[in-house]
Each structure stands twice: as structure tokens, then as C-alpha cells.
Amino acid sequence: MTRTVLVTGFEPFGGDATNSSWEVAREVARTWEGPGVLVPERLPVTFAGAPLALREAITRVRPAVVLCLGLAAGTDRVRLERVAINLADARIPDNDGAQPVDEPVDPAGPAARFTTLPVKATLARAAERGLPLTSSLSAGSYVCNAVMYHALGLLPGAPVGFAHVPELRAEEDVADFAACVREALATALELGTADSRLIGGAIA
Ligand code: PCA
């Protein structure tokens, strides 16, 4: 059976003309050589619309792996997010003009959901290849965090996760960031949700 991979990116927000997450999602789709079929989807930057669009895409595509991408300005590496929290606290209005303050993403949901991607194994492989990939312990409290939280609730048991990508500055950035995303997808397709027990973590 052909396995399908769903990679989402976002439309622009906050007055920007483009969103690097959609540029990278498109680049990954353009260069995908398998295994399986990769479907890119562009999500709205809205607390109300993004979860609906994601749910619709998951129902239509029936993916084996889901990786959602979003822009994190001011970073220089792709960040595999480990935790989505049940908190919507928006510093700026979303593209609908909605600006939730200290609300739950899902009033009936758990406090947090952890990525089911094999993050440590992916980081080890990326480091061997010199790719600009790292991990992060918070996807924030804006639309990206909400999408990650919903994605993990929609496909329990499958490898599902989120990566923040930097802005595109240099010409090679889109190819480098797409290579990070491909590494995460290839690792998930190979290992499923079974991560390697590698030392890592962060000391605050
Ligand atoms: N980044 C925002 C939302 C959309 C995007 O690309 C975030 O980090 O929440």
C-alpha cells in the first residue's frame, strides 16, 4: 500500500508578503522522491480555520505521517517541536482578526501533547549530515502551537509533529531547510513513532 505523507505550511501573516513554511513545504513536495506520495497543504493563519483545514486534509489524504511547518522569525535552524500546549495566547491578531488571550486550544483536551515523531533519531541523522536542524521544547502559544496540538489529537498512534523554519535569507536556505524536513520525514517513515534513546534535552 502506498503511504502518503502530509506536509503543511502556512499562508503569510503579520503583514509579511510570504511565509517561508509554505516555500519550504512546496520545495519538499517538488523534490520528493518517495517513499510514498507527498501532499503539500497550505493552512490559514487563523485559530478557527487552521484546525478545520487540517482536519479536512487529514480526512482526504489519510496520511501515514504528518509534519506541519510554520515560520519562526529570528532563528537560524529548523526546530523540531517536542511539545504543544493547550494554551492560545496571541501576541498579534490572527488573519481573521481574532486574538485569544489565555484560552485553551481545546477546553476538553489534555494540558499538552508530545510530538510522536522520532526526534532524537532525526537529530542524530541530521547532525551526521551537517543539516541545520535542532529541537525545541515549545511551539509557542500562537496558531502554530494550536495546529500542532490539534494534529496530534487527530491522528493518535501515527508519527505526527511540527517544525518551525527560519525566514529565507540566503539563496541556499530553501534547499537546506527542505533537506531537514526530508530527513525528519524519512526517519518517521522508517522508524514510525519509535525514537532512539539518545542523550539530549536542555538545562534551563
Ligand atoms: N508561524 C506562526 C503562525 C503561522 C506561522 O507560520 C506561529 O509560529 O505560530
Side-chain angles (χ1 to χ4, degrees):
M1 206 181 91
T2 308
R3 289 188 297 171
T4 307
V5 176
L6 177 65
V7 175
T8 70
F10 280 104
E11 66 184 4
F13 71 108
D16 289 348
T18 58
N19 186 320
S20 62
S21 66
W22 179 237
E23 308 299 318
V24 171
R26 275 205 309 201
E27 177 68 7
V28 172
R30 193 182 67 78
T31 54
W32 186 252
E33 291 178 342
V37 171
L38 188 140
V39 179
E41 286 285 327
R42 197 172 87 142
L43 303 179
V45 182
T46 66
F47 282 96
L52 294 177
L54 179 69
R55 180 190 290 270
E56 187 279 319
I58 286 176
T59 307
R60 172 167 36 87
V61 169
R62 302 233 152 268
V65 176
V66 178
L67 181 57
C68 301
L69 307 177
L71 161 70
T75 55
D76 58 0
R77 288 175 163 249
V78 175
R79 285 178 5 202
L80 269 182
E81 300 295 350
R82 301 195 67 182
V83 191
I85 54 175
N86 194 2
L87 175 71
D89 190 20
R91 190 168 50 73
I92 57 172
D94 71 12
N95 286 356
D96 278 341
Q99 191 168 12
V101 173
D102 296 348
E103 292 176 16
V105 172
D106 176 358
R113 290 187 176 128
F114 288 79
T115 188
T116 48
L117 293 178
V119 171
K120 294 275 188 74
T122 304
L123 290 180
R125 292 179 189 206
E128 252 172 51
R129 294 180 52 203
L131 295 175
L133 184 70
T134 187
S135 64
S136 148
L137 290 171
S138 173
S141 59
Y142 197 50
V143 179
C144 289
N145 172 72
V147 159
M148 179 178 172
Y149 186 90
H150 282 294
L152 284 161
L154 287 168
L155 269 187
V160 173
F162 194 99
H164 268 112
V165 298
E167 286 160 311
L168 301 177
R169 291 206 184 84
E171 208 180 309
E172 62 275 16
D173 281 356
V174 74
D176 286 351
F177 301 158
C180 293
V181 171
R182 279 197 302 271
E183 191 65 63
L185 295 173
T187 307
L189 282 162
E190 194 183 313
L191 301 182
T193 60
D195 205 354
S196 310
R197 192 172 174 280
L198 298 170
I199 289 171
I203 299 174

Coordinates of all heavy atoms in Angstrom, one line a residue, residues 43-113:
L43 N -2.2 26.1 5.0 CA -3.2 26.4 6.0 C -3.3 27.9 6.3 O -2.3 28.6 6.2 CB -2.8 25.7 7.4 CG -2.6 24.2 7.4 CD1 -2.2 23.7 8.8 CD2 -3.8 23.5 6.9
P44 N -4.5 28.4 6.6 CA -4.7 29.8 7.0 C -4.1 30.0 8.4 O -4.1 29.1 9.2 CB -6.2 29.9 7.0 CG -6.8 28.6 7.3 CD -5.8 27.6 6.7
V45 N -3.6 31.2 8.6 CA -3.1 31.6 10.0 C -4.3 32.1 10.8 O -4.4 33.3 11.1 CB -1.9 32.6 9.9 CG1 -1.4 32.9 11.3 CG2 -0.8 32.0 9.0
T46 N -5.2 31.2 11.1 CA -6.3 31.6 12.0 C -6.6 30.5 13.0 O -6.5 29.3 12.6 CB -7.6 31.8 11.1 OG1 -8.0 30.6 10.5 CG2 -7.4 32.8 10.0
F47 N -6.9 30.9 14.2 CA -7.2 29.9 15.2 C -8.4 29.0 14.9 O -8.5 27.9 15.2 CB -7.4 30.6 16.6 CG -6.1 31.0 17.2 CD1 -5.6 32.3 17.1 CD2 -5.4 30.1 18.0 CE1 -4.4 32.7 17.7 CE2 -4.2 30.4 18.6 CZ -3.7 31.7 18.5
A48 N -9.4 29.7 14.2 CA -10.6 28.9 13.8 C -10.4 28.1 12.6 O -10.9 26.9 12.5 CB -11.8 29.9 13.6
G49 N -9.8 28.6 11.5 CA -9.8 27.9 10.2 C -8.7 26.9 10.1 O -8.9 25.9 9.4
A50 N -7.5 27.1 10.8 CA -6.4 26.2 10.5 C -6.7 24.7 11.0 O -6.5 23.8 10.3 CB -5.1 26.7 11.2
P51 N -7.3 24.6 12.2 CA -7.7 23.2 12.6 C -8.7 22.5 11.7 O -8.6 21.3 11.4 CB -8.3 23.4 14.0 CG -7.8 24.7 14.5 CD -7.6 25.5 13.2
L52 N -9.6 23.3 11.1 CA -10.6 22.8 10.2 C -10.0 22.3 8.9 O -10.3 21.3 8.4 CB -11.7 23.8 9.9 CG -12.6 24.2 11.1 CD1 -13.6 25.3 10.7 CD2 -13.4 23.0 11.6
A53 N -9.1 23.2 8.4 CA -8.4 22.9 7.1 C -7.5 21.6 7.3 O -7.4 20.8 6.5 CB -7.6 24.0 6.7
L54 N -6.9 21.6 8.5 CA -6.0 20.4 8.8 C -6.8 19.1 8.9 O -6.5 18.1 8.3 CB -5.3 20.6 10.1 CG -4.4 19.5 10.6 CD1 -3.2 19.4 9.6 CD2 -3.9 19.7 12.0
R55 N -8.0 19.2 9.6 CA -8.8 18.0 9.7 C -9.3 17.6 8.3 O -9.3 16.4 8.0 CB -10.0 18.4 10.6 CG -11.0 17.2 10.8 CD -12.3 17.7 11.4 NE -12.1 18.0 12.8 CZ -12.2 17.1 13.8 NH1 -12.5 15.9 13.6 NH2 -12.0 17.5 15.1
E56 N -9.7 18.5 7.5 CA -10.2 18.2 6.1 C -9.1 17.5 5.3 O -9.3 16.5 4.7 CB -10.7 19.5 5.4 CG -11.3 19.3 4.1 CD -10.3 19.1 3.0 OE1 -9.3 19.8 3.0 OE2 -10.6 18.2 2.1
A57 N -7.9 18.0 5.4 CA -6.7 17.5 4.7 C -6.4 16.0 5.2 O -6.2 15.1 4.4 CB -5.5 18.3 4.8
I58 N -6.5 15.8 6.5 CA -6.2 14.5 7.0 C -7.3 13.5 6.6 O -7.0 12.4 6.2 CB -6.0 14.6 8.6 CG1 -4.7 15.2 8.9 CG2 -6.1 13.2 9.2 CD1 -4.5 15.5 10.4
T59 N -8.5 13.9 6.6 CA -9.6 13.0 6.2 C -9.5 12.7 4.7 O -9.7 11.5 4.3 CB -11.0 13.8 6.4 OG1 -11.0 14.2 7.7 CG2 -12.1 12.8 6.1
R60 N -9.1 13.7 3.9 CA -8.9 13.4 2.4 C -7.7 12.6 2.1 O -7.8 11.7 1.3 CB -8.9 14.8 1.7 CG -8.6 14.8 0.2 CD -8.8 16.1 -0.4 NE -8.5 17.3 0.4 CZ -7.3 17.9 0.5 NH1 -6.3 17.4 -0.2 NH2 -7.1 18.9 1.3
V61 N -6.6 12.9 2.7 CA -5.3 12.3 2.3 C -5.0 11.0 3.1 O -4.3 10.2 2.6 CB -4.2 13.4 2.6 CG1 -2.8 12.8 2.5 CG2 -4.4 14.6 1.7
R62 N -5.6 10.8 4.2 CA -5.3 9.6 5.1 C -3.8 9.4 5.2 O -3.3 8.3 4.8 CB -6.0 8.4 4.5 CG -7.5 8.5 4.3 CD -8.3 7.4 5.0 NE -9.6 7.8 5.4 CZ -9.9 8.3 6.6 NH1 -9.0 8.4 7.6 NH2 -11.1 8.6 6.9
P63 N -3.1 10.3 5.7 CA -1.6 10.2 5.7 C -1.1 9.2 6.8 O -1.7 9.0 7.8 CB -1.2 11.6 6.1 CG -2.3 12.2 6.9 CD -3.5 11.6 6.3
A64 N 0.1 8.6 6.4 CA 0.8 7.8 7.4 C 1.7 8.6 8.3 O 2.0 8.2 9.4 CB 1.7 6.8 6.6
V65 N 2.1 9.8 7.8 CA 2.9 10.7 8.6 C 2.4 12.1 8.3 O 2.1 12.5 7.2 CB 4.4 10.6 8.1 CG1 5.3 11.6 8.8 CG2 5.0 9.2 8.3
V66 N 2.4 12.9 9.4 CA 2.1 14.4 9.2 C 3.2 15.2 9.8 O 3.6 15.0 11.0 CB 0.7 14.7 9.9 CG1 0.4 16.2 9.8 CG2 -0.4 13.8 9.4
L67 N 3.7 16.2 9.0 CA 4.6 17.2 9.5 C 4.1 18.5 9.1 O 4.0 18.9 7.9 CB 6.0 16.9 9.0 CG 7.1 17.9 9.5 CD1 7.2 17.9 11.0 CD2 8.4 17.6 8.9
C68 N 3.7 19.3 10.1 CA 3.3 20.7 9.9 C 4.4 21.6 10.1 O 5.3 21.5 11.0 CB 2.1 21.1 10.9 SG 0.7 20.0 10.7
L69 N 4.5 22.7 9.2 CA 5.6 23.6 9.3 C 5.0 25.0 9.5 O 3.9 25.4 9.0 CB 6.3 23.7 7.9 CG 6.9 22.3 7.4 CD1 7.5 22.6 6.0 CD2 7.9 21.7 8.3
G70 N 5.8 25.8 10.2 CA 5.4 27.2 10.5 C 6.7 28.1 10.5 O 7.8 27.5 10.7
L71 N 6.5 29.3 10.3 CA 7.7 30.3 10.4 C 8.0 30.7 11.8 O 7.0 31.0 12.6 CB 7.3 31.5 9.5 CG 8.2 32.8 9.8 CD1 9.6 32.6 9.3 CD2 7.5 34.0 9.1
A72 N 9.2 30.6 12.2 CA 9.7 31.3 13.4 C 10.8 32.3 13.0 O 11.9 31.9 12.7 CB 10.2 30.2 14.4
A73 N 10.4 33.5 13.0 CA 11.4 34.5 12.6 C 12.5 34.6 13.7 O 12.3 34.3 14.9 CB 10.7 35.9 12.5
G74 N 13.7 35.0 13.3 CA 14.8 35.3 14.2 C 15.5 34.0 14.6 O 16.2 34.0 15.6
T75 N 15.3 32.9 14.0 CA 16.0 31.7 14.3 C 16.9 31.4 13.1 O 16.7 31.9 12.0 CB 15.1 30.5 14.5 OG1 14.2 30.3 13.4 CG2 14.2 30.7 15.8
D76 N 17.9 30.5 13.2 CA 18.7 30.1 12.1 C 18.7 28.6 11.8 O 19.4 28.2 10.9 CB 20.1 30.7 12.2 CG 20.8 30.2 13.4 OD1 20.2 29.4 14.2 OD2 22.0 30.6 13.6
R77 N 17.9 27.9 12.6 CA 17.8 26.4 12.3 C 16.4 26.0 12.3 O 15.5 26.6 12.9 CB 18.5 25.7 13.5 CG 20.0 25.8 13.4 CD 20.6 25.2 14.6 NE 22.0 25.0 14.3 CZ 22.6 23.9 14.0 NH1 22.0 22.7 14.2 NH2 23.9 23.9 13.6
V78 N 16.1 24.9 11.6 CA 14.8 24.3 11.6 C 14.7 23.7 13.0 O 15.6 23.0 13.5 CB 14.7 23.3 10.5 CG1 13.3 22.5 10.6 CG2 14.8 23.9 9.1
R79 N 13.5 23.9 13.6 CA 13.3 23.5 15.0 C 12.2 22.4 15.0 O 11.0 22.7 14.8 CB 12.8 24.6 15.9 CG 13.9 25.6 16.3 CD 13.4 26.7 17.1 NE 12.0 26.7 17.5 CZ 11.3 27.8 17.9 NH1 11.9 29.0 17.9 NH2 10.0 27.7 18.3
L80 N 12.6 21.2 15.4 CA 11.5 20.2 15.6 C 10.9 20.4 17.0 O 11.6 20.3 18.0 CB 12.2 18.8 15.5 CG 12.2 18.1 14.2 CD1 12.9 16.7 14.4 CD2 10.9 18.0 13.5
E81 N 9.6 20.7 17.0 CA 9.0 21.0 18.3 C 8.6 19.7 19.0 O 8.1 18.7 18.4 CB 7.7 21.8 18.0 CG 8.0 23.1 17.3 CD 8.8 24.1 18.2 OE1 9.0 23.8 19.4 OE2 9.2 25.1 17.6
R82 N 8.9 19.6 20.3 CA 8.6 18.4 21.1 C 7.3 18.5 21.8 O 6.7 17.4 22.1 CB 9.7 18.2 22.1 CG 11.1 18.0 21.4 CD 12.1 17.4 22.3 NE 11.8 16.0 22.6 CZ 12.5 15.3 23.4 NH1 13.6 15.8 24.0 NH2 12.2 14.0 23.6
V83 N 6.8 19.7 22.1 CA 5.6 19.8 22.9 C 4.6 20.9 22.4 O 5.0 22.0 22.1 CB 6.0 20.2 24.4 CG1 4.8 20.1 25.3 CG2 7.1 19.4 24.9
A84 N 3.3 20.5 22.3 CA 2.3 21.5 22.0 C 1.5 21.7 23.3 O 1.1 20.7 23.9 CB 1.4 21.0 20.9
I85 N 1.2 22.9 23.7 CA 0.5 23.1 25.0 C -1.0 23.6 24.7 O -1.3 24.2 23.6 CB 1.2 24.2 25.9 CG1 1.4 25.5 25.1 CG2 2.5 23.6 26.4 CD1 2.0 26.6 26.0
N86 N -1.8 23.3 25.6 CA -3.3 23.6 25.5 C -3.5 25.1 25.9 O -4.3 25.4 26.8 CB -4.1 22.7 26.3 CG -5.6 22.7 25.9 OD1 -6.0 23.5 25.0 ND2 -6.4 22.0 26.7
L87 N -2.8 26.0 25.2 CA -2.9 27.4 25.5 C -2.9 28.2 24.2 O -1.9 28.1 23.4 CB -1.7 27.8 26.4 CG -1.6 29.3 26.7 CD1 -2.7 29.7 27.7 CD2 -0.3 29.6 27.4
A88 N -3.9 29.1 24.1 CA -3.9 30.0 23.0 C -3.7 31.4 23.6 O -4.6 31.9 24.3 CB -5.2 29.9 22.2
D89 N -2.6 32.1 23.3 CA -2.3 33.4 23.9 C -1.6 34.1 22.8 O -0.4 34.0 22.6 CB -1.4 33.2 25.1 CG -1.2 34.5 25.9 OD1 -2.1 35.4 25.7 OD2 -0.3 34.6 26.7
A90 N -2.3 35.0 22.0 CA -1.8 35.6 20.8 C -1.3 36.9 21.0 O -2.0 37.8 21.5 CB -3.0 35.6 19.8
R91 N 0.0 37.1 20.6 CA 0.6 38.4 20.8 C 0.1 39.4 19.7 O 0.1 40.6 19.9 CB 2.2 38.3 20.6 CG 3.0 39.5 21.0 CD 4.5 39.2 21.1 NE 5.0 38.4 20.0 CZ 5.2 38.9 18.7 NH1 4.9 40.2 18.5 NH2 5.7 38.2 17.8
I92 N -0.3 38.9 18.5 CA -0.9 39.7 17.5 C -2.2 39.0 17.0 O -2.3 37.8 17.2 CB 0.1 39.9 16.3 CG1 0.5 38.5 15.7 CG2 1.3 40.7 16.7 CD1 1.3 38.7 14.4
P93 N -3.1 39.8 16.4 CA -4.3 39.2 15.9 C -4.0 38.2 14.8 O -3.0 38.4 14.1 CB -5.1 40.4 15.4 CG -4.6 41.6 16.0 CD -3.1 41.3 16.3
D94 N -4.8 37.1 14.7 CA -4.6 36.2 13.5 C -5.2 36.8 12.3 O -5.7 38.0 12.3 CB -5.1 34.8 13.9 CG -6.6 34.7 13.9 OD1 -7.3 35.7 13.5 OD2 -7.1 33.7 14.4
N95 N -5.2 36.1 11.2 CA -5.6 36.6 9.9 C -7.1 36.8 9.8 O -7.6 37.4 8.9 CB -5.1 35.8 8.7 CG -3.6 36.0 8.5 OD1 -3.0 36.8 9.1 ND2 -3.1 35.3 7.5
D96 N -7.9 36.4 10.8 CA -9.3 36.7 11.0 C -9.5 37.9 11.9 O -10.6 38.3 12.1 CB -10.0 35.5 11.7 CG -10.4 34.4 10.7 OD1 -10.4 34.6 9.5 OD2 -10.7 33.3 11.2
G97 N -8.4 38.4 12.5 CA -8.6 39.4 13.5 C -8.8 38.9 14.9 O -9.0 39.7 15.8
A98 N -8.8 37.6 15.1 CA -9.1 37.0 16.4 C -7.8 37.1 17.2 O -6.7 36.8 16.7 CB -9.5 35.6 16.2
Q99 N -7.9 37.4 18.5 CA -6.7 37.5 19.3 C -7.0 36.8 20.7 O -7.2 37.6 21.7 CB -6.2 38.9 19.5 CG -4.9 39.0 20.1 CD -4.3 40.4 20.0 OE1 -5.0 41.4 19.6 NE2 -3.0 40.5 20.4
P100 N -7.1 35.5 20.8 CA -7.3 34.9 22.1 C -6.2 35.2 23.1 O -5.1 35.3 22.8 CB -7.4 33.4 21.8 CG -6.6 33.2 20.5 CD -6.8 34.5 19.7
V101 N -6.7 35.4 24.3 CA -5.8 35.7 25.4 C -6.0 34.6 26.5 O -7.1 34.5 27.0 CB -6.0 37.1 26.0 CG1 -5.1 37.3 27.3 CG2 -5.6 38.1 25.0
D102 N -5.0 33.8 26.8 CA -5.0 32.8 27.8 C -6.3 31.9 27.8 O -6.9 31.7 28.8 CB -4.9 33.5 29.2 CG -3.6 34.1 29.3 OD1 -2.7 33.9 28.5 OD2 -3.4 34.9 30.3
E103 N -6.6 31.4 26.6 CA -7.7 30.5 26.4 C -7.1 29.1 26.1 O -6.0 29.0 25.6 CB -8.5 30.9 25.2 CG -9.3 32.2 25.5 CD -10.1 32.6 24.2 OE1 -10.3 31.8 23.3 OE2 -10.5 33.8 24.2
P104 N -7.9 28.0 26.4 CA -7.4 26.7 26.0 C -7.6 26.5 24.5 O -8.5 27.1 23.9 CB -8.3 25.8 26.7 CG -9.5 26.6 27.1 CD -9.1 28.0 27.2
V105 N -6.7 25.8 23.9 CA -6.9 25.4 22.4 C -8.1 24.5 22.4 O -8.9 24.6 21.5 CB -5.6 24.7 21.9 CG1 -5.8 24.1 20.5 CG2 -4.4 25.6 21.9
D106 N -8.2 23.6 23.3 CA -9.3 22.6 23.4 C -9.7 22.5 24.8 O -9.0 21.9 25.6 CB -8.9 21.3 22.8 CG -10.0 20.2 22.9 OD1 -11.1 20.5 23.5 OD2 -9.8 19.1 22.4
P107 N -10.9 23.0 25.2 CA -11.3 23.0 26.6 C -11.4 21.6 27.2 O -11.3 21.4 28.4 CB -12.7 23.7 26.6 CG -12.8 24.3 25.3 CD -11.9 23.7 24.3
A108 N -11.6 20.6 26.3 CA -11.7 19.2 26.7 C -10.4 18.4 26.6 O -10.4 17.2 26.9 CB -12.8 18.5 25.9
G109 N -9.4 19.1 26.1 CA -8.1 18.3 25.8 C -7.2 18.3 27.0 O -7.3 19.1 28.0
P110 N -6.1 17.5 26.9 CA -5.1 17.5 27.9 C -4.2 18.7 27.9 O -4.3 19.5 27.0 CB -4.2 16.3 27.5 CG -4.4 16.1 26.1 CD -5.8 16.6 25.8
A111 N -3.5 18.9 29.0 CA -2.7 20.2 29.1 C -1.6 20.3 28.0 O -1.3 21.4 27.6 CB -2.0 20.2 30.5
A112 N -1.1 19.2 27.5 CA -0.1 19.2 26.5 C -0.1 17.9 25.7 O -0.7 16.9 26.2 CB 1.3 19.4 27.1
R113 N 0.4 18.0 24.5 CA 0.6 16.8 23.7 C 2.0 16.8 23.2 O 2.5 17.8 22.8 CB -0.4 16.7 22.5 CG -1.8 16.5 23.0 CD -2.7 16.3 21.8 NE -4.1 15.9 22.3 CZ -5.2 16.6 21.8 NH1 -5.1 17.5 20.9 NH2 -6.3 16.2 22.3

